[in-house]
Amino acid sequence: MLTRRLPGTDLDLSVVGFGAWAIGEKWWGDDVTEARSIAAVHAALDHGYTWFDTAPVYGWGRSEAVLRKALGPRLRDVIVATKVGVREIDGHAQSTLTADWIRQDVDAIRKRLGIETIDLLQVHWPCELGTPLEETFGALDTLRTQGAFRYLGVCNYGADDLRAIRAITPIVSLQTGYSLLRRELEGPLRDTAMALDLGILAYEPLCRGLLSGKFTHTPTFPDTDLRSRDDRFRGRRFLHAKALADDLGKVARRVGVPTAAVAIGWAAAQPGITAVIAGAKGPEQVAQNAQAATLVGQGRLWDVVGRVAAVHGGTPR
Ligand SMILES: NC(=O)c1ccc[n+]([C@@H]2O[C@H](COP(=O)([O-])OP(=O)(O)OC[C@H]3O[C@@H](n4cnc5c(N)ncnc54)[C@H](OP(=O)(O)O)[C@@H]3O)[C@@H](O)[C@H]2O)c1
């Protein structure tokens, strides 16, 4: 698979990375099994994925544990990107970025993954408790010098924070939501990330499955699936997404690839994007998503897809 160097590192990321949220067996319905997840990870290796994105919050450690089991000794041959700073408080996920919690969280990650040094550690989302950036990123700077991780990235921070964090400690990447249905990245955030020479890692490229084109009617999900509470799967927002996915499907059929590959490939082909993280529950999804990498260099295809997206306009509120 096509790889790109994450700026400022020696990490070569496949343009499609494996998103390991769903394999954490929580918040993604009842059809995730360990056997299917392991098959998905093995399929990713077979298709040339070089990196896997996980987090402690994904099943409260379960995603990291399944990933370790599935990768076995190959865990040392691939890049595992995980995240720090979310804590379970009264059953809810809360960003906790005190120096003390960061140290505990990083230790627990290393134990779960069975590694001394994490390849890429990302702060999961900005602090909800008001901890100053200096405390959080100062603590992370120390942990890096102690060998706990090699490179530091952040997720879900805005342009001003990126600059402020960069003044405290080196960071190499910004992970942010980006898809044909979610375009807030385009503008000052992307400009700043690029000016700071950060790699941009785009998550949710399928808009949680919507852009695979598989939903022919308004879907219903069990309570165990976070999409049962996601407005994008209801009413006008769903119809808008479905109309776009239907048109993407027409383009995909002409090219001879799955609709999901076009949605993921579009994100990977946009300026500033180093790699896209595509979530998958099973090997059949990985096989489709991997095809995105074959499309990335096809500029005329992206012109067409850009025009299709423009016809549909922005997502209704
Ligand atoms: N840093 C952050 O704050 C943050 C936030 C969100 C995500 N992420 C990362 O980004 C990754 C990707 O985002 P995401 O998983 O939320 O959303 P996504 O990649 O847009 O969608 C993934 C879901 O779509 C469905 N799917 C995947 N491939 C498919 C295919 N070829 N055909 C049909 N359906 C398919 C699967 O669910 P079903 O089969 O159940 O439909 C899968 O779980 C995550 O796994 C995580 O690693 C990071």
Side-chain angles (χ1 to χ4, degrees):
M1 179 175 315
L2 174 69
T3 62
R4 291 188 185 134
R5 177 69 46 110
L6 185 62
T9 76
D10 58 4
L11 304 180
D12 290 322
L13 303 185
S14 47
V15 287
V16 186
F18 184 94
W21 186 0
I23 70 166
E25 297 169 10
K26 203 166 164 38
W27 297 303
W28 280 91
D30 305 320
D31 60 347
V32 182
T33 63
E34 185 180 287
R36 190 177 173 212
S37 301
I38 289 175
V41 171
H42 290 173
L45 292 170
D46 292 345
H47 285 282
Y49 285 53
T50 67
W51 71 292
F52 295 79
D53 180 75
T54 181
V57 70
Y58 300 162
W60 297 117
R62 181 71 183 143
S63 169
E64 289 170 329
V66 172
L67 204 51
R68 177 182 180 181
K69 183 169 180 181
L71 290 170
R74 293 189 68 182
L75 190 136
R76 284 166 205 286
D77 304 332
V78 298
I79 296 155
V80 176
T82 187
K83 310 192 188 82
V84 65
V86 175
R87 186 176 192 175
E88 187 176 10
I89 295 179
D90 297 333
H92 296 286
Q94 186 182 66
S95 180
T96 306
L97 295 178
T98 58
D100 198 36
W101 177 252
I102 296 261
R103 281 191 291 269
Q104 288 181 50
D105 209 16
V106 168
D107 273 351
I109 292 168
R110 290 155 82 201
K111 282 199 188 81
R112 273 194 302 273
L113 288 173
I115 53 175
E116 269 301 301
T117 306
I118 299 160
D119 299 313
L120 176 63
L121 183 70
Q122 305 156 103
V123 175
H124 204 149
W125 69 78
C127 191
E128 292 162 34
L129 301 176
T131 304
L133 292 176
E134 288 75 12
E135 176 176 338
T136 302
F137 289 92
L140 285 162
D141 202 50
T142 305
L143 282 169
R144 185 204 337 254
T145 59
Q146 293 168 348
F149 61 88
R150 296 192 65 210
Y151 299 109
L152 183 63
V154 295
C155 315
N156 306 307
Y157 278 86
D160 291 345
D161 279 342
L162 292 182
R163 281 197 206 85
I165 294 164
R166 193 58 176 274
I168 302 169
T169 189
I171 51 171
V172 297
S173 57
L174 167 69
Q175 196 182 121
T176 189
Y178 187 52
S179 73
L180 279 158
L181 286 165
R182 186 171 175 182
R183 312 279 290 260
E184 306 92 275
L185 170 67
E186 296 169 5
L189 183 57
R190 177 161 64 192
D191 294 346
T192 304
M194 290 176 75
L196 294 173
D197 204 22
L198 303 181
I200 302 175
L201 308 175
Y203 70 68
E204 226 182 60
L206 293 173
C207 198
R208 296 184 169 169
L210 273 174
L211 289 173
S212 70
K214 69 181 170 186
F215 297 112
T216 52
H217 299 94
T218 307
T220 51
F221 296 101
D223 280 353
T224 49
D225 192 316
L226 77 172
R227 291 171 292 188
S228 64
R229 296 173 289 285
D230 185 336
D231 284 345
R232 294 174 292 186
F233 288 83
R234 294 193 201 111
R236 287 181 340 130
R237 292 184 75 180
F238 171 74
L239 292 176
H240 171 260
K242 181 187 174 312
L244 172 58
D246 286 349
D247 281 349
L248 278 188
K250 290 177 195 150
V251 176
R253 277 192 292 282
R254 281 210 299 274
V255 180
V257 295
T259 309
V262 174
I264 296 166
W266 174 86
Q270 299 312 300
I273 303 293
T274 301
V276 175
I277 313 164
K281 290 175 164 176
E284 71 295 343
Q285 293 182 345
V286 171
Q288 290 198 353
N289 301 348
Q291 293 180 54
T294 65
L295 306 174
V296 170
Q298 298 192 21
R300 278 176 44 204
L301 172 61
W302 306 127
D303 290 344
V304 172
V305 171
R307 283 199 294 277
V308 167
V311 166
H312 290 278
T315 305
R317 292 275 141 212

